[in-house]
Amino acid sequence: MEKTRPVVRRGVPEGSEARVAALYWEAFGRKLGAALNPPDKARAFLAAHLHLDRGVTALVDGEVAGVAGYRLDGRGLTGGGPADVLAAYGALRGLPRLALLALLERRPARRELVMDGIAVAPEQRGTGIGGLLLREIAALAAEAGCRRVRLDVIDVNPRARALYERHGFVAVRTEKTPYLRGLMGFGAATTMHRPVTAADLPHGQEAR
């Protein structure tokens, strides 16, 4: 039987917040665990604070099979400010969590789109969904007038780095963080850039 081809769309469909939060946690829970554990509470927190217009999703048979989050114009896919963290975890436990989350914060430079990463359902990996999401992110960045896409990949995720390199991302610097290895599971993060050109624009469209 022929497999259903994924359909890529911009935005996170309403009603799929829990699914997207679960995919995100499966992909990034090791990095976010120290700040948002226990897992059930973390997934609920992520689902409750998603910015649905800051994601690109791949749907297979109507279900989200992959998601790429991005930060643009001051907003990213994963939301929830200090007040939300303190409300969910309490002041005593929330303050250290805020400090950890601040270490992971990445703000875009001018004319730059920052990716929050890609999460693909385990059963859909190797089907090309990651590449489809990256191409749609590049098109979105081109339409927004961005000159590059930026992301960070941790040293314990070589598969993700290989995907990014296949799609035009180049490593520009690596920040070693050995003090985070025991706490968040990684000891270095590499920043990668991909230039955005007119070729990334969908046919017939212009950058704003």
Side-chain angles (χ1 to χ4, degrees):
M1 181 181 294
E2 185 177 351
K3 289 187 177 181
T4 304
R5 291 186 177 182
V7 176
V8 175
R9 59 169 289 178
R10 296 182 186 181
V12 173
E14 289 189 12
S16 64
E17 292 89 345
R19 168 70 172 171
V20 168
L23 289 177
Y24 230 69
W25 185 254
E26 196 277 334
F28 304 112
R30 184 176 181 180
K31 181 169 72 171
L32 297 174
L36 296 179
N37 271 330
D40 286 350
K41 191 164 190 175
R43 287 189 289 266
F45 182 86
L46 290 172
H49 299 288
L50 290 176
H51 294 138
L52 303 186
D53 62 340
R54 288 295 184 266
V56 173
T57 50
L59 308 179
V60 175
D61 294 326
E63 183 177 57
V64 175
V67 59
Y70 65 93
R71 181 169 293 277
L72 189 64
D73 297 331
R75 299 169 69 247
L77 174 64
T78 52
D84 300 307
V85 173
L86 295 177
Y89 293 93
L92 185 62
R93 295 180 178 178
L95 288 173
R97 294 169 189 268
L98 288 175
L100 292 173
L101 290 171
L103 292 175
L104 302 174
E105 182 72 15
R106 296 293 184 268
R107 296 185 181 276
R110 182 175 176 272
R111 297 184 64 193
E112 180 181 72
L113 180 147
V114 172
M115 284 189 61
D116 290 335
I118 288 180
V120 177
E123 68 276 11
Q124 295 292 342
R125 290 172 188 165
T127 63
I129 283 177
L132 292 174
L133 292 171
L134 284 173
R135 284 192 286 273
E136 191 63 26
I137 287 285
L140 192 153
E143 290 175 33
C146 295
R147 63 185 178 90
R148 74 183 180 199
V149 178
R150 185 182 109 215
L151 57 81
D152 293 300
V153 61
I154 56 178
D155 57 352
V156 293
N157 199 353
R159 182 172 178 171
R161 177 165 176 166
L163 170 68
Y164 300 142
E165 288 174 340
R166 289 198 302 272
H167 288 270
F169 285 86
V170 176
V172 294
R173 66 177 176 274
T174 296
E175 180 182 0
K176 294 184 178 181
T177 53
Y179 55 89
L180 292 179
R181 185 172 295 279
L183 190 61
M184 293 185 171
F186 66 94
T190 297
T191 297
M192 306 185 78
H193 291 168
R194 178 200 183 281
V196 174
T197 70
D200 293 312
L201 284 166
H203 182 67
Q205 293 194 29
E206 297 181 358
R208 73 184 188 196

